[in-house]
Amino acid sequence: MTVIKINAITVAADSGDELAKRFAARAGAVDGQAGFEGFELLQPTDDRTTWLVITRWADEESFQSWVNSPAFGHGHRSEAERSGEPAPAHVGMSSELWSYAIAGGSGA
């Protein structure tokens, strides 16, 4: 059964573009992970400052395998860090990880 993981990241009002830029820089980093089914970065369209990172996994074990893999640590380092430079300042002020299973919906 597909498992949905949502990382709700709260950023400063002027930091959303930087968050999107950082996600774009590592696009595709998780695509080859076993059990990975898809990813979306959702930008708020109102005055909220919480962005949602939605990932879909074949099962909880697939998600946990990725979290505990070297690829997870590598993918969560900045481009600068991967090149040996100092880490840039964090964009997120806080984050929460939410877990869901699909309970219904539409096939469209």
Side-chain angles (χ1 to χ4, degrees):
M1 175 193 319
T2 296
V3 173
I4 310 295
K5 298 295 183 176
I6 302 170
N7 190 2
I9 304 172
T10 301
V11 300
D14 60 350
S15 295
D17 289 342
E18 180 62 21
L19 181 70
K21 177 182 165 189
R22 291 182 187 187
F23 268 90
R26 61 183 220 217
V30 70
D31 288 354
Q33 184 67 35
F36 176 74
E37 296 179 349
F39 157 85
E40 289 86 31
L41 174 63
L42 303 183
Q43 175 182 3
T45 58
D46 54 19
D47 60 352
R48 296 170 208 233
T49 57
T50 301
W51 290 56
L52 301 179
V53 181
I54 315 262
T55 57
R56 293 178 311 285
W57 297 88
D59 50 42
E60 182 67 26
E61 293 76 23
S62 296
F63 173 74
Q64 291 301 326
S65 291
W66 173 66
V67 167
N68 294 311
S69 73
F72 177 86
H74 183 76
H76 282 83
R77 291 174 31 212
S78 70
E79 207 172 332
E81 289 173 289
R82 289 190 294 265
S83 346
E85 299 172 25
H90 287 281
V91 175
M93 298 173 7
S94 67
S95 69
E96 291 181 64
L97 181 63
W98 304 338
S99 296
Y100 290 86
I102 298 171
S106 143

